[in-house]
Amino acid sequence: MQPIVPADPIEAVAEPHASGAAARTTSSSAAKLTPSWLVLTLLMLSYAVNFADRTIINVLGEAIKRDLQLSDTQLGLLGGLSFALLYAVMSVPIARLSDRYSRVRILSTAIAFWSAATMLCAAATSYVHLLVMRVFVGIGESGCSPSAQSLITDYFPRAKRAFAISIYYIGVPLGSFGGAMFAGALAEDYGWRVAFLVVGAPGILLALVLLLLMREPPRGRFDAIEADSEAPPFSAVLRTLWSTPGLRNVAAGTTLAAFTAYSIGAFLHPLFVRDFKMDYSEAAFTYGVVNAGAAAVGTFIGGWLTDVLTRRDYRWIAWLPALGLAIGIPLHVGGVLQSSLTVLVVCMFVSSFAGAFYHGPTFASIHNRIAPRMRATATAILMLLSASIGLGMGPLLTGFASDSFAAAAFTGLDYAGECVRRGMLAAATSEVRAACGAASAEGVRYAIALVSLVNIVAVWNYMIAARRLSREEDGVELHGG
């Protein structure tokens, strides 16, 4: 027999405007569900494992680069496009399954799959082998957010969704920081292969725990309409996102913000190693604090502020992301173009904190305005854009820019030949090695500064979205229902 889990108080409360859906939130149905706080904790841990396995390449990249003698363009491909390629392609079909079948089982299977693929990266014998394993990691991780966010909307009412999604998104910095710390220390002492093996293992256990503890909730529990028995076609979801006022600008804003965040995240650790001569574990700790630690606090504050401020004016659901991203632009550029480590750390910490405001508001604004059986697919569309453009192209183009700036700064004749293909540590003379190191550090500095400017367009899109969103339109009549 399945144990009866006591109802969470929040689960017995229907939205004030709900009608038929309210019947699904009675104590008889809620008593059979997992407590909402436990669900949110498990989903946050799932996303933490997701990002630990996704971003581990950012910390191990410098060690892999030296071991396999790679260029920054190849490193960007390994950390970005190889992962994002099938992540983007598979996110929609897996989301379509999540709109039809058990989201809990789909999520558990996805976690086990990508964790196993991460562990298999340890067995890679070549760059191509590692590239293929990263593709498999991407396939597995494409099943995470669509299922998880759809579950959140059926465990939390509209008034609490931005905060709940922000708690879920704390998994991003938590996983990035935890993965960075463990991977950096393991790479320093045992090598990058052991790091892949150890960091990937916890996901297998989490997949089993989630499958045993989490219950599948009725769809649309807190919405004013009954969930359709069949999920609408993909074209209907796409049409709803495009035609609903403000949502296409929200999608553009989050895609561009992801482009910048993934690009900086991929090359911040190499900047600490190259320019400030840190070892891998020291650079991993610094990276974790300024990139992940600050983002965790910013994500939490952003979700809480959104729920508070939107009670007065719903447009804060887009104003707050715009404000956070705008604060980060000059701090990113100014921080990397000066020579003080202390100033760089402070600038990156504040910009990461403010730049993380957008996570909860972005997805809450989408889920609040579309029908229950569209939510997993809508999430997948946003993840597809973020993955293909943000993660897929961001690190790759930033790596290309870094190589280009480094080649221009190199005092020798052939940066690619003397510094990349031969390897910096095997360069002919100490003078050449020093010139390679200086050029490489300068290249990554200017590349990060350049990519930070993309957020100007992200801010512009969120400001347009704010003008098109209103409390009267939002959520009272769900689009696509």
Side-chain angles (χ1 to χ4, degrees):
M1 294 179 61
Q2 290 184 340
I4 300 299
V5 183
D8 193 308
I10 194 175
E11 293 168 345
V13 180
E15 284 288 272
H17 62 266
S19 55
R24 293 190 296 275
T25 64
T26 60
S27 58
S28 60
S29 61
K32 300 177 182 179
L33 296 176
T34 311
S36 58
W37 63 266
L38 179 57
V39 169
L40 194 55
T41 300
L42 289 173
L43 294 178
M44 181 191 67
L45 291 175
S46 299
Y47 214 28
V49 170
N50 179 297
F51 258 77
D53 293 351
R54 180 185 309 191
T55 61
I56 186 177
I57 201 74
N58 297 343
V59 174
L60 302 181
E62 195 68 12
I64 296 171
K65 173 186 172 79
R66 294 180 179 182
D67 187 18
L68 302 181
Q69 298 184 5
L70 309 179
S71 67
D72 276 349
T73 302
Q74 289 175 302
L75 195 60
L77 180 63
L78 193 61
L81 191 59
S82 66
F83 174 93
L85 187 63
L86 284 181
Y87 179 95
V89 171
M90 294 301 296
S91 60
V92 171
I94 293 178
R96 300 297 291 161
L97 293 175
S98 297
D99 278 333
R100 289 172 167 82
Y101 305 109
S102 170
R103 293 162 287 185
V104 173
R105 293 179 181 178
I106 290 171
L107 180 58
S108 299
T109 302
I111 295 172
F113 186 90
W114 86 61
S115 298
T118 299
M119 296 174 70
L120 287 173
C121 289
T125 57
S126 67
Y127 175 69
V128 173
H129 188 179
L130 189 56
L131 202 69
V132 171
M133 287 300 102
R134 291 292 294 171
V135 169
F136 282 113
V137 174
I139 293 173
E141 293 202 2
S142 66
C144 182
S145 270
S147 301
Q149 291 199 34
S150 181
L151 285 166
I152 288 173
T153 65
D154 288 327
Y155 269 101
F156 292 88
R158 290 180 65 253
K160 297 179 181 293
R161 280 176 192 160
F163 183 67
I165 293 173
S166 293
I167 296 298
Y168 167 70
Y169 260 88
I170 288 178
V172 174
L174 181 65
S176 299
F177 182 76
M181 290 299 299
F182 279 108
L186 290 167
E188 191 73 33
D189 295 334
Y190 303 104
W192 59 268
R193 299 177 188 277
V194 173
F196 272 117
L197 191 64
V198 174
V199 172
I204 305 295
L205 177 61
L206 179 62
L208 181 61
V209 170
L210 191 144
L211 188 62
L212 293 175
L213 294 184
M214 191 178 297
R215 303 290 182 263
E216 181 76 18
R219 295 182 192 265
R221 291 179 63 216
F222 297 107
D223 296 303
I225 63 173
E226 297 286 340
D228 296 332
S229 59
E230 293 294 331
F234 176 76
S235 59
V237 183
L238 197 61
R239 186 167 56 251
T240 298
L241 285 176
W242 179 258
S243 62
T244 305
L247 293 194
R248 60 175 174 266
N249 298 103
V250 170
T254 191
T255 299
L256 294 170
F259 181 95
T260 303
Y262 281 125
S263 299
I264 295 174
F267 287 96
L268 189 58
H269 183 274
L271 175 64
F272 290 141
V273 173
R274 298 176 195 180
D275 203 22
F276 298 98
K277 313 306 178 189
M278 295 182 178
D279 59 34
Y280 295 147
S281 58
E282 185 182 7
F285 176 78
T286 307
Y287 168 86
V289 170
V290 303
N291 195 50
V297 181
T299 300
F300 180 88
I301 295 297
W304 174 76
L305 275 178
T306 299
D307 284 341
V308 171
L309 294 174
T310 52
R311 292 169 192 159
R312 302 178 181 179
D313 191 329
Y314 193 80
R315 289 173 292 183
W316 275 107
I317 206 165
W319 279 340
L320 193 62
L323 176 63
L325 294 172
I327 290 171
I329 295 169
L331 293 174
H332 276 137
V333 176
V336 299
L337 295 183
Q338 54 80 52
S339 58
S340 168
L341 176 61
T342 302
V343 173
L344 173 62
V345 167
V346 171
C347 286
M348 287 295 178
F349 187 92
V350 176
S351 61
S352 295
F353 166 79
F357 286 172
Y358 79 94
H359 290 136
T362 292
F363 286 95
S365 67
I366 300 292
H367 296 314
N368 286 349
R369 301 186 71 178
I370 61 174
R373 284 194 181 270
M374 286 186 170
R375 286 171 181 159
T377 302
T379 300
I381 291 172
L382 260 68
M383 302 307 291
L384 185 153
L385 292 171
S386 295
S388 59
I389 298 175
L391 179 57
M393 300 306 299
L396 177 62
L397 293 177
T398 305
F400 177 78
S402 177
D403 283 337
S404 300
F405 285 127
F410 185 54
T411 56
L413 297 176
D414 181 14
Y415 173 77
E418 296 188 54
C419 301
V420 178
R421 285 189 288 272
R422 179 181 293 179
M424 292 185 187
L425 298 180
T429 65
S430 58
E431 290 79 8
V432 173
R433 286 197 297 271
C436 288
S440 179
E442 185 167 340
V444 77
R445 274 180 179 274
Y446 282 102
I448 290 175
L450 179 63
V451 77
S452 300
L453 301 179
V454 172
N455 270 349
I456 295 174
V457 187
V459 170
W460 178 74
N461 270 282
Y462 274 113
M463 293 303 293
I464 292 178
R467 292 204 304 268
R468 295 176 176 175
L469 295 171
S470 69
R471 182 186 296 274
E472 288 74 23
E473 288 179 325
D474 196 281
V476 175
E477 181 178 351
L478 297 182
H479 293 260

